Amino acid sequence: MPAMPISAGARHDFLRRHGIPRDWESHTLGQIARVVGGGTPSRDEHRFWVGGTIPWATPTDVTANRAKYINKTTDYITEAGFRSSAAELLPAGSVLYTSRATIGAKAIATVPMATNQGFASFLPRGVDGDYLYYLLELLTPTIKRLGAGTTFDEVSKRDIRTVWCAIPSDDDEQAAIACILDAVDTALERTRAAVEWARELDHSLLHELLQKGLSPNGHATGGRPRHWTIRRVDEVATVGSGVTLGKDVSGFKSVELPYLRVANVQDGHLDLSTIKTVRVQVDQVESYRLEAGDVLMTEGGDVDKLGRGAIWDGQIPDCLHQNHIFRIRANRKLLEPAFYALVVESDIAKRYFNRVAKRTTNLASTNKTQVRAFRFPVPPTLDEQREIVAVIKASKGRVAALANKEAALGAVKKSLMHDLLTGRVRVRDASKATAS
């Protein structure tokens, strides 16, 4: 017997993996919802757009929304534009679901709206709309498989309609499951907002402390302290370049060692999830070997890679760095490395390197001369520098704690979705769900 096509097998993934729990029923998505597409009025006809009152969603509206519900869009079309296109007016309660490029972004419309052709939207029939919203999240990996093998990520409404699932036959159980997941989503959204607020506060605090310093009570002062000096990098540190990749070392005594790439050096932190190795001449190792306390800065490339940096704490023994990363090694009598790492992360450094960078289309880069010439405010004592580092470290600790809470809630939601939407854990009615 020939192998079953991927798409054919994917349609039955849910039932094959989870079966049909007692008191549940198996259906295709097309049986529990009407799945419809959208359309785009001609952009050349101003009367289709100017003065439009009908919300018209694109996938970007949904991906940028981040919330469960959506009630406004970037573009609005007129009645004439609506009639001229293949768009349908979706009633409030419809689940907008992107089916092209980004597959699986979703939101529930709270007002009637239309969409472009990048959607396969669901009009629930015989299923709780909130329950369907979460069920689609569980089914999205399966739906994505239906579009596998195409050059452009897209899955058709026809294929989506044929995906099988099992749902509770009791409407109260559907509502109870949605109620529980709503509660987790609310907590997750509040925590996400708290993380964003804490990051904004941390950024503002960093700017204030580097510009104005600390008063005796531990708060920012009203202006830059008079006893601070403005120093060039080369007055308080040395700047080193890294190893050039691809050099032929045959004929020389060489050794293979780990090294950091531009991708490892992020803005304010290091990403050490993937570390590569390079073979270098033994007599050049010391020139490129990193020491704990070295501050790493990227040369550039894409604009977001210009001058971003972080401190190296010696996480990997005998680690080198490539030539697109500068190593700033502080004179420990004058400069606390962690203080300079904060300067690199700040707007002070970003403004300077954006101003002096060599630019071409979508690219920007700096060089060792410009790094050495970078001027920044420096408290004259290491103790004062370390006090500022301690305040920012505490602030970043709060951000990290909130981010960990967000990640934990995300894991709880994922686990609950799997247990509740497959019938592994049963709830009988919404009153019990809210009471628990």
Side-chain angles (χ1 to χ4, degrees):
M1 176 181 288
M4 182 181 291
I6 289 178
S7 60
R11 293 185 179 99
H12 297 84
D13 268 357
F14 185 100
L15 299 184
R16 187 173 64 250
R17 292 172 183 269
H18 310 298
I20 306 173
R22 183 172 54 86
D23 301 326
W24 285 34
E25 301 171 346
S26 62
H27 297 280
T28 63
L29 287 175
Q31 290 171 339
I32 60 174
R34 182 167 167 251
V35 185
V36 301
T40 303
S42 171
R43 289 283 186 181
D44 295 330
E45 289 285 348
H46 294 293
R47 65 190 181 91
F48 292 166
W49 301 91
V50 177
T53 58
I54 300 172
W56 181 79
T58 68
T60 300
D61 289 312
V62 176
T63 56
N65 183 56
R66 297 190 68 177
K68 179 180 178 181
Y69 300 102
I70 186 169
N71 59 13
K72 57 184 178 181
T73 56
T74 302
D75 292 317
Y76 290 75
I77 58 176
T78 62
E79 288 285 349
F82 173 72
R83 290 192 300 271
S84 76
S85 72
E88 288 201 31
L89 188 62
L90 307 175
S94 300
V95 183
L96 278 57
Y97 186 88
T98 60
S99 58
R100 177 181 293 183
T102 299
I103 297 175
K106 62 193 187 309
I108 298 178
T110 59
V111 296
M113 64 175 57
T115 74
N116 75 359
Q117 55 270 39
F119 289 83
S121 297
F122 292 79
L123 283 63
R125 54 187 180 192
V127 65
D128 182 273
D130 294 291
Y131 179 90
L132 178 61
Y133 171 87
Y134 290 112
L135 178 63
L136 287 172
E137 187 166 338
L138 187 70
L139 292 174
T140 289
T142 295
I143 293 171
K144 285 181 177 179
R145 288 181 63 199
L146 300 180
T150 61
T151 55
F152 183 76
D153 286 340
E154 182 176 12
V155 60
S156 70
K157 299 185 295 296
R158 181 184 64 246
D159 283 337
I160 290 174
R161 293 185 187 109
T162 63
V163 173
W164 283 86
C165 60
I167 63 173
S169 54
D170 183 353
D171 292 345
D172 284 342
E173 186 170 4
Q174 294 180 28
I177 290 171
C179 183
I180 292 170
L181 295 176
D182 273 344
V184 178
D185 253 355
T186 298
L188 189 56
E189 185 57 37
R190 287 174 178 169
T191 304
R192 186 176 293 122
V195 170
E196 292 177 356
W197 178 83
R199 283 178 176 151
E200 290 175 3
L201 182 63
D202 178 72
H203 181 84
S204 176
L205 180 62
L206 175 63
H207 175 77
E208 288 292 304
L209 292 180
L210 293 181
Q211 292 282 24
K212 301 178 181 179
L214 279 169
S215 64
N217 62 8
H219 299 294
T221 63
R224 181 181 299 156
R226 294 180 180 180
H227 64 286
W228 283 27
T229 57
I230 302 297
R231 293 292 192 100
R232 286 169 51 110
V233 166
D234 58 7
E235 293 177 322
V236 291
T238 60
V239 180
S241 297
V243 60
T244 300
L245 305 183
K247 291 182 67 173
D248 183 8
V249 297
S250 59
F252 298 92
K253 187 176 181 180
S254 63
V255 62
E256 189 164 344
L257 293 172
Y259 76 97
L260 297 187
R261 303 166 293 135
V262 170
N264 299 123
V265 182
Q266 298 297 312
D267 192 15
H269 70 280
L270 298 174
D271 178 358
L272 304 180
S273 57
T274 302
I275 299 295
K276 296 187 176 183
T277 60
V278 61
R279 183 160 288 278
V280 296
Q281 294 176 219
V282 170
D283 59 1
Q284 294 181 347
V285 169
E286 287 306 314
S287 300
Y288 307 129
R289 193 200 309 266
L290 294 173
E291 296 180 3
D294 285 344
V295 177
L296 306 172
M297 291 180 60
T298 55
E299 176 188 54
D302 295 336
V303 174
D304 69 307
K305 298 179 179 65
L306 175 65
R308 71 186 184 195
I311 195 167
W312 173 252
D313 291 323
Q315 297 93 321
I316 301 170
D318 296 322
C319 191
L320 315 181
H321 62 108
Q322 75 166 117
N323 62 320
H324 295 302
I325 297 172
F326 300 111
R327 178 263 301 152
I328 294 87
R329 185 165 294 165
N331 177 340
R332 300 295 183 94
K333 295 179 181 180
L334 301 173
L335 181 65
E336 168 62 39
F339 178 84
Y340 183 70
L342 294 179
V343 173
V344 171
E345 189 181 339
S346 74
D347 291 341
I348 299 171
K350 287 178 171 53
R351 284 195 298 265
Y352 169 79
F353 287 107
N354 273 302
R355 187 177 76 249
V356 302
K358 177 182 178 181
R359 294 181 178 273
T360 57
T361 306
N362 299 323
L363 299 175
S365 63
T366 187
N367 56 48
K368 189 186 291 188
T369 299
Q370 292 168 341
V371 173
R372 287 172 174 154
F374 171 44
R375 292 163 56 86
F376 62 100
V378 186
T381 68
L382 295 176
D383 285 344
E384 191 171 358
Q385 295 176 32
R386 288 167 184 157
E387 286 175 3
I388 291 174
V389 169
V391 172
I392 296 298
K393 184 177 180 180
S395 175
K396 290 184 180 299
R398 288 192 291 270
V399 174
L402 286 168
N404 288 338
K405 181 180 178 181
E406 180 185 358
L409 282 170
V412 167
K413 177 186 173 183
K414 183 177 180 181
S415 177
L416 273 174
M417 283 183 58
H418 179 270
D419 289 346
L420 295 175
L421 295 171
T422 63
R424 183 176 177 181
V425 173
R426 302 293 296 272
V427 288
R428 293 301 179 183
D429 59 53
S431 62
K432 290 180 182 178
T434 54
S436 62

